[in-house]
Amino acid sequence: MDDITNELSKINKIKTKKEDKKIIDEKLIEYKHIKPFKVKKKVSTVDERKSFLLSMDFQKLEVIDKLATKSNYNRNEFINMMLDYALENIE
């Protein structure tokens, strides 16, 4: 839970003071009903892909890079997995 709190803090540029921790805890309660994003074992595939430019906040990119490295995926593979998850779960 502390890792999630730290990452949310970085992404939203929130300092973790007592009142900010309350805000983060409220966000976590909101997100509890969402199906968790699970990183599966890396499988080699050959798909047709199209490259494009994507701009992103530096803090988000740092978090993505850390999570991708931790799970043994490169940034592009990890972002594609997150997008697949988002597309499957969007309402």
Side-chain angles (χ1 to χ4, degrees):
M1 189 73 94
D2 287 336
D3 290 340
I4 295 170
T5 303
N6 290 336
E7 299 307 330
L8 280 173
S9 175
K10 288 177 191 174
I11 291 171
N12 296 313
K13 300 177 186 175
I14 296 173
K15 296 178 184 172
T16 50
K17 298 180 206 169
K18 270 189 174 179
E19 58 271 8
D20 292 334
K21 184 159 176 44
K22 182 179 176 187
I23 293 169
I24 292 170
D25 289 342
E26 288 171 1
K27 283 188 178 186
L28 289 173
I29 290 168
E30 287 177 31
Y31 295 135
K32 280 187 179 179
H33 73 280
I34 298 173
K35 180 179 158 188
F37 175 67
K38 294 186 180 181
V39 180
K40 298 176 183 170
K41 188 174 179 179
K42 190 173 180 177
V43 179
S44 179
T45 61
V46 179
D47 294 333
E48 186 175 325
R49 297 184 181 237
K50 172 106 175 133
S51 297
F52 65 97
L53 181 63
L54 174 68
S55 298
M56 185 179 297
D57 293 334
F58 185 72
Q59 290 87 2
K60 288 179 186 174
L61 188 56
E62 282 183 325
V63 172
I64 288 171
D65 284 343
K66 285 178 188 175
L67 293 171
T69 301
K70 184 178 177 181
S71 60
N72 202 29
Y73 285 90
N74 66 43
R75 180 191 297 161
N76 188 58
E77 292 169 323
F78 195 77
I79 291 172
N80 272 289
M81 288 173 39
M82 291 189 321
L83 290 172
D84 287 343
Y85 169 83
L87 292 171
E88 290 171 8
N89 293 285
I90 196 165
E91 293 181 10

